[in-house]
Amino acid sequence: KNSLGNSFVIFVIFALAAGWWFSGWPQILKKPAIPPEIKVAHATTETFTTAGTFTNGWTAPADVYSVTAETWGGGGGSGGGTGTTLPGGSGGGGGAYASKVINVTPGNSYTYVVGAAGLKSGGTAGGDSSFTGNASVQSLACGGTSGANNGGTAGAGGTTACSDGTTEFAGGAGAAGAGTSGGGGGESAGTTATGGSASGTTGGTGTDGTDGSAGQLLGVAGVAGNNPGAGAGGSGRREGGSEQGASGGVGQVQLTYTAITVALTGTVTASITETDIVTGGKTIILTVTGDTWVAAGATFDAQRQNIINGLDSAQAEGTGWDAVVKATQAVSGVVRTSNTVVTITLDAFASYNITAQETITATIPATALVAGNAIVATPTFIIS
């Protein structure tokens, strides 16, 4: 009887264990898989606000092949009031804005210019700002002109005609001094619109540029232009001593860029041998950061052979990588897994035969990436 009872208990325990196992509960208790890390490219912005010419003043960091160069010209200065019966000084014009994507080479140095503030009393206009990259390609924004004394000619905004950018906007005009008051300064150009022009004593405003300074009242000196690139406000009529105008805003150069890298992973990065290449099936995974592969479909398909051609051996054996693998790998093994990932699955190569280890480097052709720069993937991998 005890033996029968024990057998029954064992049977029940077994049945419960089997039911629990096949119910899927063991999977629930497993530690969840950690998803692969997703790398996000972050843009870096550098802003230069000190007036002057800086020859070879900026060096392209590693893995940076292009910059968005935004430039603002210097603002015009304002006029003063020199007579007790004459109008106040006129306001200065705002600087223009220009933006352009410019190619650079990592490690090379480049020249930029930050436009100086325009001088008071009808003096020198605001300086032009620029950045010059490869092949002397420039982003250049012109400065605004300066307003004259005693209600004379108001400063004009920097124009798009003398600027050089893929995107360009003119600066706003200053206003002429009238009666006892000075004219307002023009707004600098914004990144999306022309700068607002001054009206009477009110400085130019209304867009995403830098507001122009207000024109001043009887006996009050002019007000300097705001940075970057706004026009100065004119002084009021003279009361006692002459009322002086003021300088415009200094220009600005701003560079925004993202490093472009390609990481090489996959089963080839493990310890692989000649036999692994003969057998086939190893994978090379190329993950881009800071750029994307060209569009899927015919555009990418046309680049698959170019991607294979970029897989180079540091050696040159007659039956080695370049002569066998690179020369005969089928393009069907190159798959665009996502906008940033390409997976290459190697064919089997029976004739692959080396006498010493080979080091393989993957260079991504410029035509396979949207930004159009050839990038060397890291790390290399070795076949022993």
Side-chain angles (χ1 to χ4, degrees), residues 274 277-278 284 305 308-309 311 313 318-330 344-354 358 360 381 383:
E274 173 185 273
I277 303 302
V278 171
I284 301 170
Q305 185 61 57
I308 294 170
N309 294 343
L311 302 173
S313 171
T319 52
W321 179 276
D322 286 354
V324 175
V325 181
K326 186 168 75 170
T328 61
Q329 169 68 39
I344 304 170
T345 302
L346 296 178
D347 298 336
F349 300 98
S351 62
Y352 181 75
N353 185 15
I354 54 176
E358 285 195 293
I360 312 302
F381 63 92
I383 305 166

Side-chain angles (χ1 to χ4, degrees), residues 68-74 94-100 129 139-143 157-160 163-172 187-195 208-209 228-229 252 254:
T68 298
E70 298 178 278
T71 51
W72 288 261
Y97 166 83
S99 174
K100 184 185 291 185
S129 296
S139 171
L140 182 148
C142 292
T159 67
T160 58
S163 299
D164 186 357
T166 305
T167 300
E168 300 173 349
F169 293 106
E187 181 185 25
S188 72
T191 59
T192 62
T194 297
D208 61 342
Q252 181 172 287
Q254 186 166 280

Side-chain angles (χ1 to χ4, degrees), residues 16 39 81 90 161 190 208 212 214 259 266 299 311 314 330-331 345 349 352 361 363 376:
L16 290 173
K39 294 184 179 180
S90 297
D208 61 342
T299 303
L311 302 173
V331 296
T345 302
F349 300 98
Y352 181 75
T361 301
T363 301
V376 177

Side-chain angles (χ1 to χ4, degrees), residues 141-297:
C142 292
T145 62
S146 295
N149 291 336
N150 304 322
T153 303
T159 67
T160 58
C162 75
S163 299
D164 186 357
T166 305
T167 300
E168 300 173 349
F169 293 106
T180 61
S181 302
E187 181 185 25
S188 72
T191 59
T192 62
T194 297
S197 294
S199 177
T201 59
T202 303
T205 187
T207 72
D208 61 342
T210 304
D211 290 350
S213 295
Q216 301 303 296
L217 304 180
L218 178 67
V220 181
V223 177
N226 298 306
N227 297 334
S235 79
R237 174 185 286 174
R238 173 180 175 178
E239 186 180 43
S242 294
E243 310 303 344
Q244 298 295 309
S247 298
V250 176
Q252 181 172 287
V253 173
Q254 186 166 280
L255 306 178
T256 302
Y257 52 85
T258 301
I260 302 174
T261 60
V262 179
L264 190 153
T265 57
T267 55
V268 294
T269 58
S271 178
I272 63 170
T273 67
E274 173 185 273
T275 301
D276 293 317
I277 303 302
V278 171
T279 303
K282 292 295 182 180
T283 57
I284 301 170
I285 301 174
L286 302 169
T287 304
V288 181
T289 300
D291 200 354
T292 60
W293 298 98
V294 293

Side-chain angles (χ1 to χ4, degrees), residues 332-345:
S332 58
V334 182
V335 178
R336 186 184 187 277
T337 313
S338 72
N339 286 343
T340 58
V341 178
V342 162
T343 300
I344 304 170
T345 302

